[in-house]
Amino acid sequence: MITFERMDNNQFKEYLEFMMPDYIQDTSEHYMMTKEQATEKAEKQMESLLPDQEKTEGQHFFYIKSGEQVAGYLWFHVSKEEKSAFLYHIYILESFRKQGIAKNALRFFENESKDEEAVYCGLHVFGTNENAIELYRKLGYKQASISMNKVL
């Protein structure tokens, strides 16, 4: 059984320690930045997005659990003013992949967003994450824009 458990402050801090290195690595690779530049950018983004950490209005942080085990993480934001939701991060641990957990988590995200009166939701996915892109398309997500770059 898949369940979703809201993170407390200590869990939130552990989650950021888990998430940030991968985010910094992806930012560095995809936007051609040094690790130092990507780290500075990521830290500034987190400060801006999460001034009150996990208690920042509209921000939602969950453990995705399969039975009693943590299977992944889910972070999204719902803006009541804009009636929209944005998925910041979904991560399924390797041993839990290909079991329908990500699909279940995305449905949870959509339902929670609807409950908070969002009329649409969005997300960002790096172009190299083909598995995620395929899943999002299967669930009805459509491409809204394309950001491209080229190494010179």
Side-chain angles (χ1 to χ4, degrees), residues 56-60 75-79 84-88 109 113:
T56 302
E57 186 175 345
Q59 299 287 0
H60 303 275
W75 169 23
F76 62 92
H77 176 260
V78 179
S79 170
S84 66
F86 190 82
L87 178 67
Y88 279 103
F109 157 61
S113 299

Side-chain angles (χ1 to χ4, degrees), residues 7 15 18 62-64 70-75 89-91 93:
M7 292 181 198
Y15 163 71
F18 167 82
F62 291 92
Y63 281 119
I64 303 167
V70 173
Y73 309 93
L74 182 66
W75 169 23
H89 190 227
I90 180 172
Y91 186 87
L93 298 170

Side-chain angles (χ1 to χ4, degrees), residues 15 17-18 25 39 42 44 49 52 57 77 100 131 135 143:
Y15 163 71
E17 287 178 20
F18 167 82
Q25 179 67 34
T39 299
K44 284 181 181 177
L49 288 170
D52 295 320
E57 186 175 345
H77 176 260
N131 290 335
L135 174 63
Q143 190 171 296

Side-chain angles (χ1 to χ4, degrees), residues 67-120:
E68 293 298 312
Q69 294 183 299
V70 173
Y73 309 93
L74 182 66
W75 169 23
F76 62 92
H77 176 260
V78 179
S79 170
K80 292 186 181 205
E81 299 80 36
E82 296 177 14
K83 295 194 178 293
S84 66
F86 190 82
L87 178 67
Y88 279 103
H89 190 227
I90 180 172
Y91 186 87
I92 307 301
L93 298 170
E94 191 76 38
S95 61
F96 291 95
R97 293 183 184 167
K98 303 290 184 191
Q99 298 177 29
I101 295 172
K103 180 179 178 181
N104 194 313
L106 287 163
R107 293 294 187 219
F108 175 81
F109 157 61
E110 293 167 1
N111 289 331
E112 290 290 304
S113 299
K114 279 185 205 175
D115 288 349
E116 291 192 40
E117 300 179 11
V119 295
Y120 73 96

